[in-house]
Amino acid sequence: MNEFRPSRFLTILFLATTFALLGSGCSDLLGSGENEIGANTPSSEEVPEATPGDLPDDTETTSVEATISLNSIQPNRGSTEGGDLVEIIGWGFEDDQGAAPSTFQITFGPTGAACTQVQVVSDTNIQCITPAYALAENVTVRILKAAEGQPPATALLESGFEYFDPVAITGIQPDRGPSEGGTVVAIFGSGLIDGTTVRFDDSSPIEAAVVDSHTLTVSTPALERGTYSVTVTNMNGTATLPAAFRTFDPVRLDAIEPFAGPIGGGTEANITGAGFVEPTVLMVGITSAENTPNPFETEMAFVTPAANPPVEGPVDLVATNENGSDRLTNGFVYFDPDNNTPRVIALVPAASPLEGGITISLVVGGFTETIDTVLFGATEAVCNQLNPWQLTCDAPAADAEGAVDITVTAGDVSVTEIDAFQYIDLRLDSAIPSEGAIAGGTRVEIQGNGFGADSRIFFDQREATDILVVNSQTIIARTPAAGSAGLVDVRVETWGIERNAEDFFTYFDPADLNNWTGGGPIDGAVNITVVSTSGERVENAFVMMGALADPTKDHLYGYTDSRGQITISGLEVYGAQSFHAGKVGFGKFSWIETDAQNLTMQITPKEDPPPDPLPPCPEPTSMVPPLIRGDVFRIKDDFNTGADMVVVTTSYRTFSEQLPDPGPNSQLMSNGSYEIWARTGDMVLMALAGEVTDEGTLDVHAMGFRPFVYTEASSGLACDEDSQCETSEECMDLGDGGVCVLVYEDMDIYIDTPLKQPLKIVLDNPPLQGVTSLNALLPTHAASYVWYDFGYMGLHMMGASVLPSTDTVYVDMPFRLPQSMDFATFNVDTSVGNSADGQIFPPRSDTRTYGLTSTVDPVVASPFLKTHSKISPTVSNALGPMNFEVELLPETPFDVQPSANVHWMYNFETIIPCDGAMPIPRAIIHWFAISPGNNVQFDLPIFPQMGAGLNLPSDAYYWQLMALYSPNASYDELNIGSLFDWKSRALHVSNFSHTQ
């Protein structure tokens, strides 16, 4: 349930980086703005106040411990519909004897959805009914214990409860299939997760292939003809769709009686088999016959038409109806009753395995006496003469394979047909490769013996395509699609005989939304899964190998199936190759020169245009934030003058999410009372002390921390007095009448951490003008950004420094954090680029170091990647591929190459989202490509006719290149999350015009 979803992540990353590159420079790294706040867990350590110039009296230290604890939840998962009884295990739930009664609030997730029917069973046990929740995900569970006359106590359990979508089925496609099984069906619904099994009525459960949480596929088992309910089951529950699937007997021709007749037609014959529903068309050779299916659909009577052309010999029988068709090769033999020449007209089949034993239909003519003997080579066969024209013989065994003569003797007349019958040592020995993707299409070379020109190959009852019989020992074919992964039987049919090899071939599902490349080097096949930015599989996406499509090699391009998959396979599919995918209404995706057999390709859907006419813009709504109050106390330090500015703020949830306006009471001089409008959730409450610069910013020289703070949003209900509000809320007039505001009192902060340790940041071989080269195109400025990571409580920017060409940067930091903050680490992002207004813009090169704790040891910013001096997209001709070439600086080689280069091609459209709104730009991603780290040139295709709708319109575009060095990422075994956990990167954006 916690599967990494890279597609949405990459889109967000692109948009953040793009707007930053085009606008404010380096804000894509860290963001800017104020921090947020919240609390209700007391600090475990209280520090006494000291007035300016005095030392603190540490003899007054007191300790306050949390009054409740949360250890586990049983069960720890439930439906998003809510309504599940859970048992919460911890301690401190009951009040001390004589204490006022407590009120418990138990919430799930960041929305604060509250448990109902809360019942305190004991000091260690609470039971309640889970609330409904919008998403299937893990959520944090929180308990708030409020007691009259006492501060509230809280406890939380991170990711303590897993919500899942309830299992449901809404449909199945196709809803009918042959009774012999093997139909690949897609089942639609919700709550479909890995491990889901499917049953048809009371059949054995079958493990399904899960496409996404709303779709799975499965291959139907053999079922008698009828209508079946479909049941899906997994750890989230069970759902049944009644009368969902109907089976039919596939058309099958087994035998015909009689099996021969005159060339003038008129023979009344009967075929036995299955699936002869009304209407069934029967072709005898190339002429249709009149037929009448029987009620049981297992026999079909007909009258043979005249032979066309009117010559003796065997013809095929083909029956066709809505359930398919089947062919009985050489099923009926025409003879000329006016020809009195003794002769052998046909043997059906004209071959046998070495062990013999199969029944041969023999048609002869011109014999006036009863047949005495039939010799297969030198061996007499046991035969039964049905009439002067027809015999059935049991083929005798043979010692070796090869052709033998057939000799028919009647009285004094003997006729020999030279090499008229074949003995075959038919077998299947091996398949190369021995496995393939469930999408089918894998080119397989099958080794064996006895193959003939009419050979057919079946994988788990599905016939292979593009069969080429190279010789009697080799067949080349393409695998059919499979319903699910696993071992399957393979059967060969030739000369009217067959052999089955059990567990001969393995199907596998190559889809992996985390590892986008893998499976080993390319050796004949590449298995591709196309997904959208939401992680859903994309059907009918066009995929091609190479920048030019060859119409004579249609095995190198095609469309994805219902699972979003396709296999590109052939002799030329070997070594590193480039692959491209697209679909109308989506951007395109390319892998450049990858040597991986299994690929995931993400295409970005284009957003729908605003409706016409535009809807009215909604009235602005806002959540009323909570209010935090408390006192700021100062501890004696070298910077405490008694006259500096103090700003109270909180950690950020993320730097891309701004904090509420804290209000004027968040600032004070030196110490005293404060009041701040805060964000919600878990956070660190902070007080920043310093001097105001001429630019109006705060130069911080001391800090105070209050961690483990948690707040919830105010109810925002209209009110006239406090009594109309909930507990812990006050009625406040915010300009449009009174509203209920949740207030957290006594959130005291002690400023006890001076920033007196200059953190030294050394740039190791940066591509800076004047440092590593005199090339004027190189970056001119260096910048370092230092920020604290408080885990689930958020982030805090410590400082930033932007300087002209330099290889050393300093940022003021604490020597150490207080003991209550010993869990925190800090991170350093260092960039080189050009600068304007204190911002760094591309071409630029960045490196970052995470998880630091020591501010004494210098931080070495390394390694730096080369910067891109330019990107030059060109079109070679009107129908040729687009060529992209990158130039790197400095010219001297660097020790480290990127793990991969990530490219975006995009432009902007201007939209008005609703009536009365201002026009806004919206980025359109037209192409997303990933190339190897050492790649500086590649081609993107002009799509061929079958994918021509995917070609770019003539327009102006931007091309963004982001080179990433990630120590844990390998291009041909690429975990996309590891790639974007980068150590170093280089950024550039170029614009160009594309014309066809």
Side-chain angles (χ1 to χ4, degrees):
M1 299 296 290
N2 295 321
E3 185 178 54
F4 176 73
R5 292 286 183 174
S7 305
R8 187 174 301 165
F9 166 71
L10 292 181
T11 301
I12 293 172
L13 177 65
F14 157 74
L15 292 174
T17 307
T18 296
F19 284 104
L21 291 175
L22 297 178
S24 60
C26 59
S27 62
D28 61 298
L29 283 173
L30 299 168
S32 60
E34 299 180 284
N35 284 357
E36 314 157 287
I37 324 172
N40 59 7
T41 303
S43 170
S44 62
E45 192 173 327
E46 299 290 346
V47 183
E49 176 188 3
T51 56
D54 294 335
L55 293 175
D57 182 0
D58 55 14
T59 61
E60 299 179 9
T61 300
T62 59
S63 177
V64 178
E65 297 182 354
T67 59
I68 58 174
S69 174
L70 198 166
N71 296 334
S72 65
I73 301 175
Q74 299 296 330
N76 63 353
R77 57 193 314 272
S79 167
T80 52
E81 295 178 346
D84 295 310
L85 176 66
V86 294
E87 184 176 353
I88 299 173
I89 310 300
W91 57 264
F93 299 152
E94 288 187 338
D95 297 318
D96 294 334
Q97 187 174 3
S102 299
T103 300
F104 283 89
Q105 185 180 26
I106 303 171
T107 60
F108 287 66
T111 61
C115 244
T116 58
Q117 301 181 34
V118 178
Q119 180 180 1
V120 179
V121 178
S122 68
D123 190 56
T124 59
N125 184 296
I126 292 179
Q127 294 182 350
C128 69
I129 304 298
T130 59
Y133 193 74
L135 300 175
E137 63 183 7
N138 290 315
V139 299
T140 296
V141 179
R142 297 175 175 83
I143 297 183
L144 171 67
K145 178 184 179 181
E148 185 177 346
Q150 300 178 22
T154 64
L156 61 86
L157 188 63
E158 287 189 76
S159 300
F161 191 80
E162 178 188 355
Y163 274 104
F164 60 80
D165 287 326
V167 180
I169 312 177
T170 58
I172 181 172
Q173 182 65 35
D175 60 1
R176 61 192 301 270
S179 56
E180 65 188 12
T183 301
V184 179
V185 296
I187 299 174
F188 307 102
S190 62
L192 307 178
I193 61 174
D194 289 341
T196 298
T197 61
V198 178
R199 286 187 295 108
F200 292 81
D201 274 5
D202 297 326
S203 65
S204 298
I206 308 166
E207 185 162 352
V210 177
V211 177
D212 53 55
S213 62
H214 298 286
T215 311
L216 55 81
T217 62
V218 71
S219 180
T220 61
L223 300 165
E224 292 185 1
R225 184 175 174 186
T227 301
Y228 294 83
S229 62
V230 175
T231 300
V232 299
T233 302
N234 56 39
M235 63 186 299
N236 294 343
T238 295
T240 298
L241 190 63
F245 188 77
R246 179 167 58 92
T247 60
F248 57 82
D249 289 330
V251 181
R252 188 182 75 247
L253 300 176
D254 292 337
I256 181 174
E257 173 64 33
F259 54 80
I263 59 176
T267 301
E268 294 182 354
N270 191 68
I271 294 178
T272 57
F276 303 144
V277 298
E278 181 70 28
T280 295
V281 176
L282 178 67
M283 301 296 294
V284 182
I286 61 174
T287 307
S288 62
E290 295 182 4
N291 58 85
T292 304
N294 78 336
F296 301 102
E297 302 171 4
T298 58
E299 297 181 5
M300 183 165 54
F302 70 100
V303 177
T304 61
N308 184 14
V311 296
E312 287 185 324
V315 295
D316 294 348
L317 300 177
V318 178
T320 303
N321 58 37
E322 64 175 348
N323 296 333
S325 67
D326 192 33
R327 178 184 298 271
L328 190 60
T329 304
N330 296 332
F332 187 79
V333 179
Y334 281 107
F335 60 82
D336 183 357
D338 297 326
N339 185 347
N340 296 320
T341 303
R343 62 201 185 277
V344 175
I345 299 173
L347 293 94
V348 181
S352 169
L354 293 178
E355 66 271 19
I358 68 172
T359 299
I360 307 299
S361 297
L362 179 62
V363 181
V364 298
F367 292 96
T368 58
E369 298 183 32
T370 302
I371 304 299
D372 296 324
T373 60
V374 177
L375 299 179
F376 285 68
T379 305
E380 184 176 349
V382 177
C383 296
N384 178 30
Q385 186 165 3
L386 305 177
N387 56 48
W389 306 95
Q390 301 176 70
L391 300 88
T392 59
C393 301
D394 293 335
D399 294 330
E401 63 180 350
V404 297
D405 300 342
I406 298 296
T407 302
V408 179
T409 301
D412 296 334
V413 179
S414 183
V415 175
T416 298
E417 288 288 333
I418 304 300
D419 293 341
F421 194 80
Q422 291 281 339
Y423 278 97
I424 301 171
D425 181 15
L426 183 61
R427 65 180 188 270
L428 295 169
D429 293 336
S430 64
I432 304 173
S434 61
E435 63 176 10
I438 57 177
T442 302
R443 180 186 184 274
V444 178
E445 184 175 301
I446 298 174
Q447 299 293 331
N449 190 71
F451 305 145
D454 66 338
S455 292
R456 300 167 70 187
I457 297 289
F458 297 83
F459 290 72
D460 194 27
Q461 309 302 321
R462 303 177 185 88
E463 188 168 5
T465 59
D466 296 345
I467 295 175
L468 172 64
V469 180
V470 179
N471 51 48
S472 61
Q473 286 80 40
T474 305
I475 291 178
I476 295 173
R478 294 191 181 277
T479 60
S484 57
L487 286 165
V488 298
D489 296 349
V490 176
R491 186 177 81 253
V492 59
E493 295 181 359
T494 189
W495 296 89
I497 59 178
E498 65 181 46
R499 279 288 187 269
N500 187 72
E502 295 183 352
D503 296 342
F504 192 74
F505 189 80
T506 302
Y507 279 104
F508 66 92
D509 187 346
D512 193 332
L513 294 185
N514 294 321
N515 299 292
W516 282 19
T517 64
I522 297 175
D523 187 13
V526 173
N527 311 301
I528 295 168
T529 304
V530 179
V531 299
S532 70
T533 50
S534 64
E536 303 294 318
R537 311 285 187 93
V538 179
E539 184 178 7
N540 291 326
F542 182 77
V543 179
M544 63 181 287
M545 186 180 91
L548 287 173
D550 185 346
T552 67
K553 297 181 178 180
D554 56 5
H555 57 281
L556 299 182
Y557 53 80
Y559 294 91
T560 55
D561 61 15
S562 60
R563 290 174 288 212
Q565 295 181 326
I566 185 175
T567 293
I568 303 294
S569 184
L571 289 176
E572 57 273 79
V573 185
Y574 182 84
Q577 301 288 341
S578 296
F579 297 88
H580 315 279
K583 184 176 181 180
V584 174
F586 290 76
K588 286 154 282 294
F589 184 100
S590 294
W591 280 111
I592 306 300
E593 293 299 313
T594 178
D595 196 6
Q597 294 182 14
N598 302 328
L599 303 177
T600 297
M601 305 181 77
Q602 169 205 295
I603 58 178
T604 307
K606 296 178 181 177
E607 295 188 49
D608 294 331
D612 185 16
L614 290 173
C617 292
E619 292 294 328
T621 59
S622 62
M623 177 182 69
V624 178
L627 191 67
I628 296 178
R629 294 174 180 152
D631 289 308
V632 174
F633 299 94
R634 295 301 302 271
I635 302 301
K636 172 63 180 177
D637 61 65
D638 296 339
F639 301 102
N640 185 1
T641 65
D644 29 81
M645 175 70 72
V646 174
V647 174
V648 180
T649 185
T650 72
S651 57
Y652 283 81
R653 185 177 286 110
T654 67
F655 285 127
S656 62
E657 180 180 339
Q658 295 300 303
L659 301 174
D661 183 346
N665 296 326
S666 63
Q667 300 180 10
L668 58 149
M669 296 301 297
S670 187
N671 55 43
S673 298
Y674 76 90
E675 183 180 79
I676 180 175
W677 295 98
R679 69 171 175 91
T680 60
D682 298 290
M683 66 195 74
V684 177
L685 187 61
M686 292 175 288
L688 312 177
E691 298 176 353
V692 179
T693 66
D694 293 339
E695 291 77 23
T697 61
L698 185 67
D699 184 9
V700 179
H701 54 236
M703 303 176 67
F705 304 90
R706 186 186 181 101
F708 308 109
V709 174
Y710 172 75
T711 63
E712 296 179 346
S714 304
S715 68
L717 298 174
C719 61
D720 293 320
E721 53 188 26
D722 290 347
S723 61
Q724 297 175 344
C725 299
E726 299 177 0
T727 305
S728 301
E729 288 194 333
E730 295 181 9
C731 185
M732 297 185 183
D733 188 352
L734 301 182
D736 294 322
V739 296
C740 293
V741 174
L742 185 58
V743 179
Y744 293 86
E745 301 278 7
D746 302 324
M747 295 287 115
D748 297 343
I749 310 172
Y750 293 84
I751 299 180
D752 55 2
T753 305
L755 308 187
K756 60 182 180 180
Q757 176 63 50
L759 176 66
K760 183 178 181 180
I761 303 168
V762 180
L763 281 65
D764 180 23
N765 195 23
L768 271 170
Q769 181 178 335
V771 175
T772 59
S773 171
L774 296 178
N775 193 312
L777 296 176
L778 283 171
T780 59
H781 283 67
S784 281
Y785 307 87
V786 182
W787 47 285
Y788 270 112
D789 185 347
F790 300 137
Y792 70 90
M793 287 181 282
L795 312 169
H796 175 68
M797 173 68 71
M798 282 300 299
S801 181
V802 179
L803 300 171
S805 295
T806 181
D807 57 5
T808 304
V809 177
Y810 291 90
V811 175
D812 289 336
M813 294 285 287
F815 177 74
R816 67 169 58 92
L817 293 178
Q819 184 177 0
S820 62
M821 298 293 295
D822 60 3
F823 57 85
T825 61
F826 68 91
N827 312 302
V828 178
D829 284 346
T830 302
S831 305
V832 294
N834 294 320
S835 178
D837 299 325
Q839 301 287 342
I840 297 292
F841 61 88
R844 61 187 278 186
S845 182
D846 309 316
T847 184
R848 64 186 185 184
T849 305
Y850 278 15
L852 301 173
T853 56
S854 172
T855 57
V856 176
D857 299 328
V859 175
V860 179
S862 176
F864 283 94
L865 299 177
K866 290 185 179 183
T867 58
H868 307 103
S869 61
K870 68 175 182 176
I871 310 170
S872 302
T874 60
V875 180
S876 58
N877 57 63
L879 299 176
M882 293 179 288
N883 177 264
F884 287 81
E885 188 170 343
V886 177
E887 291 184 9
L888 300 174
L889 289 175
E891 297 176 359
T892 56
F894 272 22
D895 293 335
V896 177
Q897 287 185 340
S899 306
N901 299 313
V902 182
H903 310 258
W904 283 278
M905 180 194 294
Y906 59 97
N907 58 12
F908 291 93
E909 64 179 357
T910 300
I911 66 166
I912 301 176
C914 54
D915 189 19
M918 295 293 292
I920 60 172
R922 181 167 70 180
I924 306 171
I925 300 176
H926 293 276
W927 217 304
F928 179 38
I930 304 181
S931 64
N934 60 358
N935 180 271
V936 294
Q937 187 279 329
F938 62 89
D939 292 333
L940 294 181
I942 297 293
F943 285 95
Q945 182 177 358
M946 65 289 301
L950 305 177
N951 287 318
L952 290 174
S954 299
D955 209 340
Y957 300 92
Y958 293 96
W959 189 270
Q960 176 180 309
L961 167 58
M962 181 163 57
L964 298 175
Y965 166 62
S966 306
N968 296 322
S970 172
Y971 186 68
D972 293 323
E973 295 180 1
L974 187 58
N975 179 292
I976 200 69
S978 297
L979 177 63
F980 283 90
D981 186 18
W982 53 269
K983 170 68 174 172
S984 308
R985 75 172 178 180
L987 288 165
H988 192 54
V989 173
S990 177
N991 58 345
F992 70 101
S993 296
H994 169 62
T995 58
Q996 290 195 39

